[in-house]
Structure formats: structure tokens, C-alpha cells
Amino acid sequence: VRHNASLLLSGIVIDRDSEVPLAVQLYDELRQAIVSGQLRRGARIPSTRALAADLEISRNTVAAAYDYLLGEGYIQSRSGAGSVVSSALPEDHLSSDPGDALSDGTNDNHLALRGVVLAEGADHVSPYEPPRPFVVGTPDVSEFPFDVWSRLLLKHWRSPLMRMVCSVDAAGYLKLREAITHYVGAARGLRCTPERVFVVSGSRQGLDMAVRLLVDRNDEVLMEDPGYPGARSAFEGAGARLYPLDIDEEGARVPDGRVKAKMAFLTPSHQYPLGMTMSLERRKKWLAWAESNSAWIIEDDFDSEFRYAGRPEPAMQGLDQSGRVIYLGTFSKTLLPSLRLGFVVLPECLVQPFRRARAVIDGFPPILEQAVLAEFIHDGHFGRHVRRMRMLYDERRLTLETEFAREMQGIIALDPCDTGIHVVGWLADGITEQDTIKAAAASGFHLRGLQPCRIRPAQRQGLLLGFAAAQPEELRRSVRILAPAMRRLESN
Amino acid sequence: VRHNASLLLSGIVIDRDSEVPLAVQLYDELRQAIVSGQLRRGARIPSTRALAADLEISRNTVAAAYDYLLGEGYIQSRSGAGSVVSSALPEDHLSSDPGDALSDGTNDNHLALRGVVLAEGADHVSPYEPPRPFVVGTPDVSEFPFDVWSRLLLKHWRSPLMRMVCSVDAAGYLKLREAITHYVGAARGLRCTPERVFVVSGSRQGLDMAVRLLVDRNDEVLMEDPGYPGARSAFEGAGARLYPLDIDEEGARVPDGRVKAKMAFLTPSHQYPLGMTMSLERRKKWLAWAESNSAWIIEDDFDSEFRYAGRPEPAMQGLDQSGRVIYLGTFSKTLLPSLRLGFVVLPECLVQPFRRARAVIDGFPPILEQAVLAEFIHDGHFGRHVRRMRMLYDERRLTLETEFAREMQGIIALDPCDTGIHVVGWLADGITEQDTIKAAAASGFHLRGLQPCRIRPAQRQGLLLGFAAAQPEELRRSVRILAPAMRRLESN
């Protein structure tokens, strides 16, 4: 009996706006169709080409879904005759013959389903950008104290040599973990011991590891909307479902009791991208939520060292009584992105799982620059550098505000900014992010809109404007070059 | 209606010898029991404590399986009353309500299922060991040309500064990829371009990335038996099924046509741990297998730079006409493990997926030591260092052979060794690896047995004996200290 493939196609619903990757949606739909009997045993399923064309998605996506169905035994491939629904479904037998699952692996060049999901997740990653006016997330690397660093490099490279090259710890160099413990305790109010500090290759690796260890495919993760696209990549790359959180002036809102999730990704010290600091009351609500749901909170504290007004709010981690907060810190903003040094402060119960996972993932972090950074922090260079950069960035922030107030009035309105290295600028009605970015590019500037940070579509148009990566004079000049192009948008 | 939990327990079969992680086995068994109706809807499932005790596995394992079943909607948790089989199974509805899957996430402190699998995989990882006589896989770091390296460190740190700290590429520093391309082409016979070289934090990261992109849970992976435990960790950590390959004097045997797999992990230049070089004919057979099965071959070329007799066999990758080989290289054996520098040479079609995945995983590799290594290779220091170490290691290899022939006759018989930095020693009948390791530890030496490399249990007892990490005099002395302890084993 041959069933027509169009029978199947009519039932498949693919939601392009969903945060669930297309290949996963297709796999789910096909599996449901098979399990429900809508697609009967022995029925021929369409070729990857036909289904891709029909659904207007890529062939690789279809192939990945088919591969997974093949691997699980829902479909079988007949050489030359395409694939058919298996005559015996995995659901049929209590303990399936291990031989079954591997008998039909006609994969040609395809990624694994999770490989497709992982690579698709990368859609949201913003590329690192070299220092330029308005660039977001890039510090001024030219102000880095290269002399001090060189001296420490040489010192640690020559002596105590053997200890250094042989001191291997999956969690990172102990002296660095001690220095970090001291720093985050004093400067960020964390409750922490060196045993709970885990050195990673940028906070991104910390997030990826937390997601690999704590989130399964289809698990729900709460995320600020708008939020950090890099985190969205990590979650979508893991096949998680995103639940978008509303944001008000106190920060991300705690969802009502019906919403359960494995994890919430939050930026309490400095909401990314909008910039508010979460209120103490809201922090307590989140911690209560995490405790009552046995859920994890990822606290991404990415640039709160640069605070220009008022006292810095201590990190949420310091308030956590029940060990639900995973704290991410980074030296990419305070020092150099190219060092690839960040850290995670873990709840006690996750220390061993992280150590074990690291052994499989990449062994341990490289040692030389960890040793240098440990001494750099210990000797007070780090604190001095951050204080110095805070003053420099403050001047740049004020320059940007002054210039925008003068040159961009009625076109772009900057939010107040008291923390970090970028500010949000809201576009006047009728001006779109897209047009703004295009016009700026024609003047030689790369601007970044808010849309990539949004999980749900929103009308309000805005820009992220970095002010750290250029001197005040260059910022001033750049605003004056940009302004006429922006004014033309207004008159259109 | 309450069904007795023992009804369920009687049906569950857990295979401790299986390469499938326990949590995954348990998840599969429970899901099958539910789908088949053996466990009816509404039936109470046993507490994690009870099931763990009954099956004699850890509670965490049971909890991980339950969490996954909860997440997929097969079971529901009732606060205070444990968990029950869902009244509506995922199989019931064609397109399940996204609200369903997240309504019941009563996870308490548990890792995700895949987190458990990942952390369990780490069981096979051998810890890095500091240089000592007989230690396996550790080079002699004291012979490293620290002066040359310091000079290059300083040079690259001072100038061309900005280019270096701003040159960000997910695949690694271009000049290093060019240097690697040149080196592997000349020394290892690879066909390669800088675009296809991907710098990683040790070859372990390259393997982990390949597995994340190319292997789904339950996919079949072929692996040499005995083989490299680190690779086993990567595969089991991904939930893959291992198919063990027999090994003969020509290397790993190609399985018969019925065996299909996504991937084969091979060490053609120097079989780990047994040490043979794969014959040309066998390499061709493997390449034909990969092509006809559209499967991937991971070629791990971990220490073949140290070849003491005959011409080095070029890498298998150079023979590959159909782009099925993923080549792993490392500087951990030739230079220093603490550098965390390795590389992957990718087939064309995997370059973009690797770049995209890297953006999510850890962004890009740290730059300073990449720049130093690029020049270290380019200026010929690398070639000189490898040649020098090959001579030193050759002397140590001969020392070990001579001393063992004299001191260990009748107890441990060394295999011939023409490549690498360890040799296999076979124990005489009646002497076990376990007893040998215990006796050696009492004399202050850490020996490593073959068992951790074995996928299938085997009678023959042997040791891996590293000879690189100690000077000849120290090796000689160590063998003489060890010998009496070994002799006592014989007489028992």
C-alpha cells in the first residue's frame, strides 16, 4: 500500500516565529503524525527535496529531522526508494533490539539533529566588533596596561615554571580562583569560596556548560525580553523553549505561579540591553521563585563594574540562601576580550558536575594568562584599571549624551545611563531601526538595533549605542558626521 | 485506581555492562513501559529512593530519568504524592500544547538528563599527570625552549598590539592556521588549506565539538577496542552507542557490511594504546567504508611526530578523496599540555557548522599564545624542538626496553615500540593489572593498566608505560626500584 505524501504534508505546521528550531519542529510533527497513525506504517515519506520545497525550508533541516527519525527507528530508508514509515515503531516493543536503531543510517553529510539546532542557535550571536565609535560590548583595549601585563607575563613564564605548567585543574588555576573570590566578595558582594569559582573561556563557555548540564531539549527557560542575544543562542542551541519575561523599571518581572521552568536568565545589576538595575524587592521575588520551583537563576553580571552614579547594587548571588544562583563574570569588558577569561560562581552541588563535564569538554583552561591575571588582581592592578576606565568611560558617556542632545534632538532620545558601556537610544515615531542602520552604514558606522534582542516582536524602535571604544573627541566627531544622515531619515 | 509499583519494577532491565548510560537506559525502559501500557495512565511510579534502592543505582540517576519523563509529559508529579503516569501522553495529541510540557517541572537540584550523561561520560577520562617515570601521555616539559618562547611572547605582546587583540576569528588566529597548514602538509601529508584548520583548546575540544555537531543520542559510533578512554568519554557523554572494533596487526578492522554508524574513531598513525600503525590497505578500506556509509572518520593523530624507526606513515586524511575524515592534531604532546592548543582539519562542508557552533560554545580561542605559536612554527623552532625531543625520547625508550629486559623478565614483556611516548607491557599469566598497580603504588609509582582502554572485558593483562617524562637515569633507577615489588607478585 502506498500512501500519498501530500496526505502528510497537509498536516505539518511549521511556525517560523517560534523559538523552537525548524528541524526540531519538523521532527516533532512527523513523529506525532507517525505515532498517531496519521502517517501509516509502510507509508512513503516525501524526499527531502520535495518536503523542503513544500515547506519552504532548507533541505538540511529536513534531512536532519529525517536522520533523527531514522536513528530512533520511526522511519526506515530503502535504498533507491526513499524512506518509509517503519513497520515496527519504537513504541511497539518493550525493550528494543539495540541492533535496530543502527541498521539504517543512510545519512549523507548531514549534521546531527542537535548539531543543526546548535548551529542554528548561533543566528543570535552578535559578532565581536573591533573598537569603533558606537560599537557595543567592546572596551577600549588601547588603554590596557600592557607594560604591567608584560612584566607579569615574563615573571610567570620564567618562574615558578614547573609548578605552572604542571598545575592542572579543571576548575582553573587555584591562585586565580582565590583572587576572584576575594574580588567578587569585596566588590560585588558575592558569598563564595575558591572551590566554587570555575574559570572559563569567557562567560559564554560558562553559560554553555550550565545549559549542557542543566537544560534538556524542550525544557522551558525564562529570558528577559528584550534580552541578551548570546544567551538566546545558548538556549536555542540546546533546543530549549524560551519563555519571554516582561521588563518594567524594577527589572524582569517574575511570571505568575503557573509558569514553571528549569532556569531563568537574568541581568539584575544592569539589564541587557535596556539598562535598569533590578530592585531589591524584585530580586527577593526571583530568589523565592527559584526556591519554590527548584529552578536555577543564571545571573549574568557582564559590565556592572562600570557604574557612574550611586552605590553599586551588590550581586543577587549574595542574597541567595538556597543555592539556586549561578553567577557569570567576565574579564572581557574590564580587560580584554582576547584573553578569553571569565568565571562562574557555582552553588556547591554543581561544583563536581562542572568539573566532570570540563574533563570531557576541553580538559582545563590554559595556564599562563590565568597566573598573570591572578597576580594582576592580587597586586591591585585590576582595581586600579577598572577605576581608571570608569572615569574615562564616564567622560565618554557624558560626551555622547551631550552630543546626542544637541545633534539628534527629535530623532534619537537617549535613556538615562548609569552603568555599563552602552546606552539605549529610542527612535522617533516613523523612523525604523532598519533605515537608521542603513543610513549609518552609508556614513561608515555600524549601529546595532534592539530587534536582535527581542524575543517577541515589538513596535518600539531603538538602538544600542556603545560609548567605550572611542575617545571623546572621536565620539564627538562621529556624532556630527552621523547627524545629517539621521536628519534625512526624519524628513522622509 | 492505584497500581502497585512492583508491577513496574519487575519489568525494568538495566544492563550495567552496556555503554548506554544508566539514566538513559532507565528513561528508555520507563517510557517503553508507559507507551506500551504496561504502566497504565494514572499509575503511581515509585519514589526515586525506592527505585534507586531496588535497582541498586544512584538516586541522581533515577531523578534524571524522571525529570526527563516529566519534561516530555510522560509522567506528572503531584505535590506530596509522588509522580504518576500522565493521563494524557505526548503520543495522544497531534500537536501538543506547548503549555503542557512545562506545567510540571518539579526538579529538585537535578541535572538535566544530558547533563547526567555528560558527567557520567567523564568516568573514562584519565587525569592529566605531572611528569614522573612511567606516566602516560605527559611530555618532558622541562626541555621546552622557554627562552625562545618568552622572547616571542614579549614581541607579540608589545607589537602589533591592536591587530592582535582585535583579531577575532572563531576558527583561530589566521597566521597560526597558515603555519599549521604548512606544517601538516609537509610533515604529515595532509591535504589542507588555512580555511579548513580550526584551532581548539586541545584536541579534546575538537572531538567534543565534532560529537556535538555530528552525533545524536543513540547514534552508533565505532571505536577501537582497546581504545582511547578520552574519546570514549566524549561519545558516552553524548549518549552515543559504542560499537567496539577488533584490532589486528594492521590496525582496527573494518566491520562487515551490516554495521552502519555515524562515525568511527581511529588512531591510524599510532593505535592508542597498542601502538601499531595501520596498513595502507586497511586505511583504504576504512575510507571506502566511510564513503559508502556516508559516515565520518575521526583521525586522532596524537603523538606520531615521535617516530623512531622507518619513515612516518602520512596521515589517513591525505588519502581521503570524499571529505569524510576529520583530523585531530595537538600540541600537548609536542609542546606543553598547559598551552591548551590543538587543531582540527575539517572537510569543507563542516567549516561553517564548526564556526557557528564555536560562536555559541566559547566565542573564539585566546589570541596571545596563538600568535606566539604561529611564529614559533614559522621560524622553524617547532620542527627543531620536535627533532630534539625525538632523539631524547628515543634514548629513554631504549633505556626502558633495556632495563625491563634485564629487570622484569618473566613478569612484564614490552611490545616493540616505534612511535609515541609510551609502550605496552604485557603481564605474565597469573599477574593482574590491579595487583601490579597496587604494588607499584606502594613503591611510589603510578602505573596505568589497559583495562580503562577496554570496551569489552578481556583476559589479557597489560600496562601502559610512559617513557618521555623522566631522564634516562631516573627511568633506570625507577625500574630498579619497581622490579623487586613486581617480582614479589610473581612469587605469590
Side-chain angles (χ1 to χ4, degrees), chain A residues 28 60 283 465:
Chain A
D28 285 341
N60 273 343
R283 287 167 194 241
L465 295 158

Side-chain angles (χ1 to χ4, degrees), chain A residues 260-277:
Chain A
K260 305 260 156 98
K262 271 269 175 76
M263 183 178 276
F265 178 85
L266 301 172
T267 49
S269 303
H270 183 219
Q271 203 277 329
Y272 191 97
L274 299 183
M276 61 281 286
T277 302

Side-chain angles (χ1 to χ4, degrees), chain A residues 54-75:
Chain A
D54 206 84
L55 295 173
E56 294 178 351
I57 59 182
S58 93
R59 260 185 95 180
N60 273 343
T61 305
V62 177
Y66 280 18
D67 267 5
Y68 207 62
L69 290 164
L70 268 169
E72 296 203 332
Y74 288 101
I75 64 177

Side-chain angles (χ1 to χ4, degrees), chain A residues 112-331:
Chain A
L113 180 72
R114 68 166 164 201
V116 173
V117 172
L118 176 62
E120 275 185 8
D123 281 348
H124 305 289
V125 174
S126 319
Y128 170 83
E129 292 173 79
R132 285 267 297 141
F134 315 129
V135 152
V136 178
T138 301
D140 188 345
V141 297
S142 68
E143 297 286 347
F144 186 78
F146 288 99
D147 283 352
V148 176
W149 195 266
S150 312
R151 188 166 53 73
L152 296 177
L153 264 181
L154 266 208
K155 176 181 163 190
H156 281 277
W157 184 250
R158 284 174 200 265
S159 81
L161 186 70
M162 287 300 287
R163 207 178 86 209
M164 193 183 75
V165 294
C166 300
S167 155
V168 163
D169 191 317
Y173 190 60
L174 181 59
K175 281 186 184 302
L176 176 58
R177 291 189 280 123
E178 288 168 350
I180 290 171
T181 303
H182 187 76
Y183 164 69
V184 294
R188 305 292 308 120
L190 265 72
R191 286 145 38 113
C192 168
T193 60
E195 290 65 41
R196 289 168 55 195
V197 174
F198 198 89
V199 177
V200 283
S201 175
S203 57
R204 186 161 297 175
Q205 189 186 36
L207 180 57
D208 183 57
M209 285 185 69
V211 171
R212 282 178 87 171
L213 280 167
L214 302 172
V215 179
D216 276 311
R217 191 159 77 80
N218 291 326
D219 278 350
E220 191 89 356
V221 171
L222 312 186
M223 215 191 121
E224 299 162 331
D225 181 20
Y228 175 51
R232 183 170 178 183
S233 282
F235 295 124
E236 292 194 359
R241 294 170 198 251
L242 291 185
Y243 180 97
L245 298 170
D246 293 325
I247 296 167
D248 60 24
E249 66 284 354
E250 292 186 73
R253 300 184 61 156
V254 184
D256 69 35
R258 288 179 306 110
V259 176
K260 305 260 156 98
K262 271 269 175 76
M263 183 178 276
F265 178 85
L266 301 172
T267 49
S269 303
H270 183 219
Q271 203 277 329
Y272 191 97
L274 299 183
M276 61 281 286
T277 302
M278 191 182 282
S279 68
L280 182 62
E281 196 188 356
R282 189 64 59 80
R283 287 167 194 241
K284 287 181 177 164
K285 267 196 192 156
W286 270 112
L287 290 169
W289 170 87
E291 190 173 0
S292 70
N293 286 278
S294 300
W296 303 104
I297 289 174
I298 305 264
E299 177 178 24
D300 188 3
D301 197 8
F302 59 101
D303 68 0
S304 65
E305 288 89 353
F306 301 117
R307 187 161 179 102
Y308 311 110
R311 276 194 63 229
E313 192 69 39
M316 198 163 168
Q317 195 267 7
L319 301 171
D320 179 23
Q321 304 283 338
S322 49
R324 309 309 304 172
V325 174
I326 297 163
Y327 176 96
L328 300 181
T330 179
F331 295 102

